[in-house]
């Protein structure tokens, strides 16, 4: 028989519930507050069939553009041919989770603001730009002795007899 081309084709592993995470869905999933502009990760929960996104969007990160009673609208980038289209999909809240993609950026911004405030109090100006690591510093090797190695001449006749 030919392979199926259904909406949930080839999702046996990707839509399955994780190990020891089967059963009821925790209440935090439903009690979370999502706002327009938040980043969310689309992660399909195979136990809930309603409001399930297409398998393409599983694992994608997008921004919320609409909030309804049971679902949220997520704007996700999709590459089609040679262009990237912003697709707007509605997904039930069981299939999304808050993204951590902005976490490091927010921490760095707060740290930079603290550094700038401290520098301003001292009366100097600092650069908060990230710098590449650069090469490791050089060092001198101590206690190394020089040893001259002389090659042994190759003897064809003895080699043919079977060695020395």
């Amino acid at each position: 028989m030919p392979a199926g081309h259904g909406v949930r084709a080839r999702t046996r592993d990707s839509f399955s519930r994780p190990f020891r995470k089967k059963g009821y869905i925790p209440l935090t999933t439903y009690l979370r507050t999502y706002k327009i502009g938040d980043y969310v990760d689309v992660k399909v929960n195979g136990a809930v069939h309603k409001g399930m996104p297409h398998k393409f969007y599983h694992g994608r990160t997008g921004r919320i553009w609409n909030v309804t009673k049971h679902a949220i609208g997520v704007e996700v980038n999709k590459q089609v041919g040679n262009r990237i289209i912003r697709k707007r999909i509605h997904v039930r809240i069981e299939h999304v989770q808050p993204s951590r993609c902005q976490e490091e950026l927010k921490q760095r911004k707060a740290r930079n603001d603290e550094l700038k405030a401290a520098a301003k109090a001292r009366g100097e100006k600092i650069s908060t730009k990230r710098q590449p690591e650069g090469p490791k510093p050089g060092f001198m090797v101590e206690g190394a002795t020089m040893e001259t190695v002389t090659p042994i001449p190759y003897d064809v006749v003895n080699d043919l007899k079977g060695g020395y």
Side-chain angles (χ1 to χ4, degrees):
M1 288 179 68
H5 298 289
V7 178
R8 290 186 62 169
R10 298 163 193 86
T11 59
R12 179 179 183 160
D13 294 326
S14 57
F15 283 7
S16 65
R17 305 287 288 128
F19 178 60
R20 294 197 324 209
K21 293 280 190 290
K22 294 166 175 65
Y24 79 100
I25 299 162
L27 281 177
T28 33
T29 307
Y30 298 101
L31 296 175
R32 276 206 187 96
T33 307
Y34 294 103
K35 296 188 175 97
I36 293 173
D38 288 353
Y39 283 93
V40 289
D41 296 329
V42 178
K43 187 177 175 186
V44 175
N45 186 341
V48 182
H49 299 164
K50 277 190 163 185
M52 187 183 276
H54 189 264
K55 62 189 170 211
F56 170 83
Y57 301 104
H58 179 73
R60 306 276 171 166
T61 301
R63 281 185 95 161
I64 297 175
W65 65 275
N66 188 21
V67 179
T68 62
K69 193 163 52 169
H70 296 293
I72 57 171
V74 183
E75 202 169 53
V76 185
N77 287 341
K78 182 176 184 179
Q79 184 170 346
V80 181
N82 63 343
R83 66 201 191 280
I84 294 175
I85 303 172
R86 278 207 307 253
K87 303 278 283 190
R88 287 183 157 193
I89 57 171
H90 277 93
V91 182
R92 274 180 83 107
I93 54 171
E94 291 96 332
H95 306 295
V96 294
Q97 60 187 30
S99 181
R100 299 179 62 192
C101 65
Q102 295 277 294
E103 210 171 73
E104 196 268 336
L105 180 81
K106 287 177 180 174
Q107 285 177 357
R108 204 174 76 238
K109 189 177 178 192
R111 190 172 58 245
N112 286 349
D113 289 343
E114 290 172 11
L115 290 170
K116 283 179 185 174
K120 192 173 184 181
R122 291 194 305 267
E124 55 189 45
K125 202 167 186 173
I126 59 164
S127 173
T128 54
K129 288 183 179 178
R130 291 175 289 176
Q131 297 297 325
E133 194 176 327
K136 293 178 183 174
F139 60 94
M140 294 296 289
V141 179
E142 299 291 328
T145 57
M146 295 290 289
E147 183 182 337
T148 307
V149 180
T150 54
I152 301 168
Y154 181 65
D155 192 4
V156 180
V157 178
N158 279 335
D159 191 38
L160 292 173
K161 289 178 184 173
Y164 288 100

